[in-house]
Amino acid sequence: MTRDLSGSVFRNRDIVIRLEKIQINPNKTSLSSIQVLTIGAAPMTQRPLTQWLLLFSLAMIWGSSFALTSIVLRELSPASVVFLRNLFACCLLFPLALVLRRSLPKGTRLWLFILAMALIGNALPFMLISWGQQRIDSALAGILMAVMPLVTIILAHFFIPDEPLNRPKLIGFFIGFLGIFVLIGPSALSAFQLSGEAFWAQLAVLLAAICYGMNGIITRRKPKSDSWSTAASVLMISAVMLWPLAAFTSGFSHQLELQGLPGFTNLTDFSQKTWIAITLLGFICTGIGTVIYMTLIHSAGPSFVSLINYLIPIWAMILGVTFMNEVLSWSHWLALALILSGIGISQGRSFRSVVKQDP
């Protein structure tokens, strides 16, 4: 018995294979008949301008979160900051999901994945970043977060079958790791003796980047579900996790007087700048940012969206230096160059195949 595959076309992003006349006999190890085999480059078209605008908008939104977090931490504890930004974003996304008539997550297995995403991809990294930014600048935090894709390529090798670790990824990882060593500095060794708060703050942000990398693997392996309602559910569970810490403790703040959440009786105790910053963090950076991210993933694909890893640390540095009066040393610039170079090499593909798309 043979199988006729005449006229079949096999396509990926870079190549098209057209079989004009071919038959395969499953009982044999070779092709029984091949008449014509045509191989050609897959045609590509320029990406729409709207996708580029959305990408740069998302980079500015997420890159701005570091500066906004620095502002809010002056009057709110880290736990309160994370709780409020998740609560505000949840209040935005759940009504949108209902208006769009999106189905709610169903099944025990899916909810277990949502629980893991809420803890590892939201509550824990948000808390680590907020705690770390009490002791380091927002620009430095943005640079440290640039290692997230480097962490992802290592984790993907073990948990994603179709993303093995190859030579470019390995080289990129070590270059990025060198950038982190330059950023933390030679004094890091002495900091292991609990003598340097800045080192532990940088380590907290690095752990947050690892959490985000783990969350990417979890998201890839979760059962299929609606992205809008799933994102809203993740934000809701994360807010519930953090509410006791935010409401009844100092929430990991180094200022012990920052205890509890804002209430109706003490709203005026917080400055207008703080309320504006936490509102922007919740509705824009967390809520709208999630919507733009999901839109880009659906329309442009994850490879194109991965370019945002180059843009976020640069934007975070620009805002930190321009509006927060932060000062960067030569080691910061060198570390940024090494980390971005490591990301670029680890991609393992040319920018041309990413910035263009199949028709």
Side-chain angles (χ1 to χ4, degrees):
M1 177 181 177
T2 59
R3 182 181 177 189
D4 190 0
L5 298 178
S6 300
S8 298
V9 178
F10 299 87
R11 176 193 299 268
N12 65 14
R13 185 178 293 273
D14 303 314
I15 196 168
V16 175
I17 302 177
R18 182 182 303 277
L19 307 180
E20 301 295 345
K21 185 177 181 181
I22 179 172
Q23 290 183 330
I24 298 178
N25 189 333
N27 297 321
K28 297 181 179 181
T29 58
S30 60
L31 302 182
S32 61
S33 174
I34 299 180
Q35 194 169 70
V36 180
L37 175 63
T38 304
I39 301 179
M44 290 185 176
T45 58
Q46 292 290 340
R47 287 192 178 275
L49 179 61
T50 53
Q51 291 183 1
W52 284 105
L53 292 176
L54 287 175
L55 183 74
F56 282 100
S57 298
L58 186 60
M60 288 188 289
I61 287 173
W62 282 355
S64 302
S65 65
F66 299 100
L68 292 172
T69 299
S70 293
I71 294 174
V72 177
L73 285 172
R74 297 169 184 171
E75 299 186 21
L76 289 171
S77 69
S80 297
V81 172
V82 179
F83 169 77
L84 289 173
R85 69 181 293 181
N86 279 285
L87 179 66
F88 287 2
C90 181
C91 291
L92 174 68
L93 291 188
F94 256 124
L96 282 176
L98 293 176
V99 169
L100 296 173
R101 297 182 178 181
R102 304 291 179 139
S103 60
L104 294 176
K106 297 178 182 179
T108 303
R109 185 167 182 267
L110 175 58
W111 276 103
L112 288 176
F113 271 87
I114 290 175
L115 181 64
M117 292 162 63
L119 176 63
I120 298 175
N122 194 293
L124 186 56
F126 278 7
M127 181 67 70
L128 289 168
I129 292 171
S130 297
W131 181 84
Q133 280 197 245
Q134 294 178 112
R135 295 162 177 84
I136 62 174
D137 292 337
S138 63
L140 179 55
I143 297 173
L144 288 165
M145 285 305 300
V147 306
M148 187 269 290
L150 301 175
V151 174
T152 303
I153 64 174
I154 300 297
L155 295 175
H157 174 75
F158 297 100
F159 298 103
I160 305 297
D162 57 345
E163 294 190 16
L165 185 63
N166 52 32
R167 182 179 297 178
K169 290 181 179 180
L170 193 60
I171 294 174
F173 174 80
F174 281 110
I175 293 177
F177 185 82
L178 178 61
I180 295 303
F181 182 78
V182 171
L183 190 63
I184 295 177
S187 60
L189 295 177
S190 61
F192 276 111
Q193 303 174 1
L194 303 180
S195 60
E197 287 189 352
F199 169 76
W200 293 108
Q202 293 176 70
L203 183 61
V205 178
L206 281 174
L207 289 175
I210 294 175
C211 287
Y212 283 131
M214 295 173 60
N215 187 61
I217 304 300
I218 294 172
T219 303
R220 281 283 300 273
R221 298 184 67 90
K222 79 171 180 63
K224 187 177 180 180
S225 63
D226 176 72
S227 54
W228 287 74
S229 58
T230 300
S233 301
V234 168
L235 294 169
M236 178 189 68
I237 293 177
S238 179
V240 171
M241 288 178 176
L242 291 165
W243 176 73
L245 286 173
F248 302 112
T249 73
S250 58
F252 299 105
S253 174
H254 65 285
Q255 304 179 54
L256 297 181
E257 68 273 11
L258 298 182
Q259 182 170 339
L261 288 165
F264 293 108
T265 59
N266 64 340
L267 290 179
T268 56
D269 293 343
F270 302 92
S271 66
Q272 183 180 12
K273 181 183 291 186
T274 296
W275 283 115
I276 292 174
I278 194 62
T279 301
L280 291 175
L281 269 175
F283 287 124
I284 306 299
C285 296
T286 309
I288 299 299
T290 302
V291 173
I292 295 176
Y293 175 77
M294 291 187 298
T295 302
L296 269 178
I297 286 289
H298 177 72
S299 63
S303 295
F304 179 71
V305 178
S306 68
L307 293 177
I308 200 171
N309 295 311
Y310 297 87
L311 304 175
I312 288 178
I314 297 174
W315 185 250
M317 289 176 61
I318 292 174
L319 290 181
V321 173
T322 305
F323 297 103
M324 305 295 292
N325 297 321
E326 296 173 357
V327 179
L328 298 179
S329 66
W330 66 269
S331 61
H332 293 121
W333 293 103
L334 177 59
L336 178 66
L338 288 170
I339 292 171
L340 295 183
S341 298
I343 296 173
I345 294 173
S346 67
Q347 292 293 314
R349 61 187 305 166
S350 65
F351 275 100
R352 180 176 178 272
S353 63
V354 177
V355 302
K356 295 189 176 184
Q357 64 176 3
D358 296 327

